[in-house]
Amino acid sequence: MRFVSRLLVILWTVWRFGLDDLALSGLRRRRFQLLRRATRLGRRWQQPRGVRLRLALERLGPIFVKFGQVLSTRRDLLPADVALELAKLQDRVPPFPAALSREMVERAFGRPLEELFASFDAEPVASASIAQVHFATLKDGREVAVKVLRPGMLDVIDDDLALMRKLAVWIERFSADGRRLKPREVVAEFDMYLHDELDLVREAANAAQLRRNMDGLDLVMVPEMHWDLCSSEVIVMERMKGVPISQRTVLEEAGIDIKKLARDGVTIFFTQVFRDGFFHADMHPGNIQVSLAPETFGRYIALDFGIIGTLTEVDKDYLAQNFIAFFQRDYKRVAELHIASGWVPPETRVDALESAVRAVCEPHFDRPLKDISLGQVLMRLFQTSRRFNVEIQPQLVLLQKTLLNVEGLGRQLDPELDLWATAKPFLERWMNDQVGWPAFNKQLMKEAPRFAQLIPELPRLLHDALKQQAQRGGDAEMRALVRELRSTNRLLSGLLWGAAGFAAGVALAWLALRFLDLGF
């Protein structure tokens, strides 16, 4: 019943705000336009389309708000009025009452607000789909930001995820192409990340890890957590002061090098992905600021760490090789990597897949970012992939989303930015670090503690293995093993005696030459 009621709520919201009319307006075929005219009978909307879309997403809850946040960064794909309105979803979702926020803080720490803070701003400075943020001052004078979880989120998210799981089952049941996309696994991945975002202690831990990873890069700042004031519903962190990255005019007037800022954003993203395998996966403009303080001028300020993506060493290596192959226009290598990884059936012809990838990617190289839509490239690749039964990898869904966010930010900052040329040197350096002597030495040092513990144990382990073999009655095997050991011992003895004889011969020859030099 909850599933049916939620579905009815969604359908009613779509009808009330005229989202069906928005969808049909983009379809030019006659039958769709006739359907649009029929559904518009008796309905009138006073508000513009962008406002209606934003209000509908807000009404439907956090999952839909996050969808709107991602769309707001793609101004190349949306009309300007719609993109501008959706940008309000990034940090201007209607807040919940200040009294409720105060109650949640006091319940989380078991003390009155006045005992915790010297001052606490009742008016939230930012309100998003999952939580809202208040500024405060600790008793020792340090300025902090207090993040409070929006109440009632768990039930709403569980209802939406239940609906998405049902839809995923239907898609797999009735669509062969849908089964290839693994919708149930994608929903499960989304489920995990959303529930992680509802645990603010996990978010605080993510921030601490990212802060350690970025230490020394001098490109991005991450707030420090006050662990004695962190709970699953409320966390307190260092207050960061910066200008939202979307306010380009303010940044230019302050003297920020916008082109460098765009390049730094790409460097930060690829460092987090390929060096650390631990990346900020919610990089919409509402979560990114720029510092204007003299000591940190021009650095990024990262906020909101509820959604973090992780990659295994196998994932990083595979992705890096794919990126480099794309940058070098080695489409045959791209095809071979897809087949080797199991993303496409093993019987796929390399030359056919190579030709298809070339047709998609070649037109987009050597062009500035303003002329390249990564969304269009991904859509073409998606259309092409259906011919080859390419399987979507759920663990990379967050990476794909974040890459679109990065492109959206880059497009806003510097439309002339060449994303490929900026990323290629970084990836090549990363790959060089993964092969050859430096990589071998690094791996050897990493495994050294295990070797130091294992090597002294080898004689005992060998003795135990031989003893167990003898107890199992393996006399024939033992005799064969003894013969092999004796043969090995004779070989080693021969080598040692030979080496000793060679050394003695060299020594005698050297002495003879010395005697001759002395005139004996």
Side-chain angles (χ1 to χ4, degrees):
M1 289 301 298
R2 287 177 62 180
F3 168 77
V4 174
S5 63
R6 181 59 176 165
L7 182 59
L8 291 175
V9 167
I10 292 174
L11 293 175
W12 166 247
T13 304
V14 168
W15 179 263
R16 176 185 173 187
F17 290 96
L19 302 190
D20 57 319
D21 183 72
L22 289 179
L24 291 172
S25 66
L27 303 175
R28 299 303 178 189
R29 292 189 180 183
R30 180 178 175 79
R31 61 176 179 269
F32 292 121
Q33 291 305 309
L34 291 175
L35 178 61
R36 183 190 181 195
R37 294 193 190 99
T39 56
R40 294 191 70 174
L41 292 175
R43 290 197 293 169
R44 294 291 184 271
W45 300 282
Q46 302 297 324
Q47 296 164 314
R49 58 183 181 178
V51 175
R52 286 189 280 128
L53 178 58
R54 175 179 61 81
L55 292 175
L57 294 176
E58 288 177 357
R59 185 65 59 90
L60 289 173
I63 291 181
F64 296 90
V65 168
K66 288 199 170 294
F67 177 69
Q69 290 172 351
V70 174
L71 281 180
S72 70
T73 67
R74 301 312 315 279
R75 299 184 180 232
D76 57 316
L77 302 180
L78 293 175
D81 60 317
V82 175
L84 189 63
E85 196 64 35
L86 290 182
K88 297 178 180 179
L89 293 173
Q90 292 164 3
D91 57 4
R92 279 179 278 179
V93 177
F96 54 87
L100 185 55
S101 182
R102 177 189 182 101
E103 177 186 335
M104 293 186 67
V105 174
E106 293 181 341
R107 184 177 69 237
F109 304 120
R111 286 186 287 168
L113 205 65
E114 290 74 16
E115 292 184 13
L116 295 167
F117 306 103
S119 65
F120 183 89
D121 295 344
E123 188 70 22
V125 67
S127 180
S129 57
I130 297 294
Q132 67 186 31
V133 178
H134 300 259
F135 286 154
T137 305
L138 296 177
K139 292 291 187 178
D140 60 8
R142 287 179 293 174
E143 294 181 310
V144 295
V146 183
K147 185 169 185 177
V148 185
L149 190 68
R150 187 175 288 270
M153 281 293 95
L154 186 59
D155 290 339
V156 175
I157 285 179
D158 283 343
D159 287 345
D160 283 347
L161 287 171
L163 177 62
M164 293 174 70
R165 279 190 286 268
K166 286 283 187 181
L167 292 174
V169 171
W170 290 346
I171 290 171
E172 288 192 355
R173 182 176 300 171
F174 298 112
S175 170
D177 191 50
R179 286 193 293 272
R180 180 183 63 82
L181 300 178
K182 301 181 180 179
R184 284 189 294 177
E185 294 183 37
V186 171
V187 172
E189 191 86 1
F190 196 32
D191 183 352
M192 180 183 69
Y193 286 114
L194 272 176
H195 279 86
D196 286 350
E197 194 172 7
L198 292 175
D199 183 357
L200 295 188
V201 171
R202 186 182 293 270
E203 176 177 344
N206 289 339
Q209 180 66 55
L210 198 64
R211 181 183 171 91
R212 285 194 299 272
N213 290 349
M214 295 292 98
D215 185 34
L217 190 63
D218 294 333
L219 294 179
V220 60
M221 301 162 60
V222 178
E224 183 179 5
M225 295 292 148
H226 295 273
W227 286 106
D228 55 335
L229 292 174
C230 287
S231 73
S232 60
E233 294 184 337
V234 180
I235 57 175
V236 178
M237 69 193 80
E238 173 189 5
R239 177 177 172 179
M240 309 299 287
K241 297 181 180 180
V243 175
I245 198 167
S246 57
Q247 298 182 12
R248 174 171 175 162
T249 303
V250 177
L251 295 174
E252 288 178 330
E253 291 175 351
I256 296 292
D257 185 342
I258 299 297
K259 292 184 179 295
K260 180 180 183 301
L261 194 66
R263 294 193 303 271
D264 288 348
V266 176
T267 300
I268 291 168
F269 170 71
F270 281 99
T271 299
Q272 291 180 1
V273 170
F274 291 104
R275 190 192 71 181
D276 305 324
F278 190 90
F279 60 94
H280 192 306
D282 201 13
M283 293 181 63
H284 62 77
N287 288 337
I288 304 295
Q289 297 181 356
V290 180
S291 174
L292 300 183
E295 63 275 12
T296 56
F297 187 78
R299 292 189 196 176
Y300 280 80
I301 298 174
L303 302 171
D304 194 349
F305 311 95
I307 301 181
I308 291 288
T310 58
L311 296 174
T312 65
E313 291 298 325
V314 174
D315 289 334
K316 289 194 296 182
D317 181 70
Y318 172 74
L319 287 169
Q321 291 193 56
N322 262 285
F323 272 114
I324 290 175
F326 273 118
F327 294 146
Q328 296 176 344
R329 307 187 194 189
D330 187 352
Y331 304 116
K332 181 178 181 181
R333 177 61 177 159
V334 174
E336 291 172 345
L337 286 167
H338 275 66
I339 295 173
S341 67
W343 282 26
V344 294
E347 64 273 11
T348 302
R349 287 181 51 184
V350 173
D351 58 336
L353 183 56
E354 175 192 358
S355 177
V357 174
R358 180 185 295 110
V360 171
C361 298
E362 192 64 26
H364 296 278
F365 281 103
D366 295 329
R367 299 166 64 186
L369 189 59
K370 68 176 183 179
D371 298 329
I372 300 175
S373 170
L374 189 57
Q376 293 178 6
V377 175
L378 291 176
M379 184 61 68
R380 288 284 308 277
L381 284 172
F382 172 76
Q383 294 169 349
T384 302
S385 68
R386 284 186 293 188
R387 290 173 45 204
F388 298 94
N389 297 315
V390 175
E391 293 189 352
I392 302 301
Q393 303 301 304
Q395 76 273 20
L396 301 181
V397 169
L398 271 183
L399 180 65
Q400 296 167 3
K401 166 186 172 293
T402 308
L403 187 57
L404 290 175
N405 287 150
V406 170
E407 183 195 20
L409 286 173
R411 190 178 301 277
Q412 290 181 26
L413 292 171
D414 180 16
E416 299 293 334
L417 174 68
D418 189 335
L419 185 65
W420 317 116
T422 304
K424 182 180 176 182
F426 176 87
L427 287 174
E428 288 178 338
R429 287 195 303 270
W430 183 86
M431 284 298 294
N432 289 335
D433 290 340
Q434 305 308 304
V435 297
W437 174 251
F440 174 78
N441 187 53
K442 180 180 178 182
Q443 188 65 22
L444 188 64
M445 295 300 294
K446 181 180 179 180
E447 298 292 340
R450 290 186 58 200
F451 292 154
Q453 183 180 7
L454 181 61
I455 291 174
E457 296 179 356
L458 285 178
R460 178 177 58 80
L461 293 173
L462 180 59
H463 176 270
D464 291 344
L466 293 174
K467 186 175 180 181
Q468 290 174 8
Q469 183 69 24
Q471 289 174 349
R472 286 196 296 266
D475 292 339
E477 290 84 353
M478 283 294 296
R479 286 194 294 272
L481 181 59
V482 169
R483 286 196 299 271
E484 290 296 329
L485 288 174
R486 287 175 177 170
S487 176
T488 302
N489 287 337
R490 286 194 296 269
L491 178 60
L492 289 173
S493 297
L495 290 174
L496 288 173
W497 282 111
F502 178 76
V506 170
L508 289 173
W510 180 80
L511 288 172
L513 290 173
R514 291 287 295 172
F515 272 101
L516 290 173
D517 289 340
L518 294 173
F520 289 99

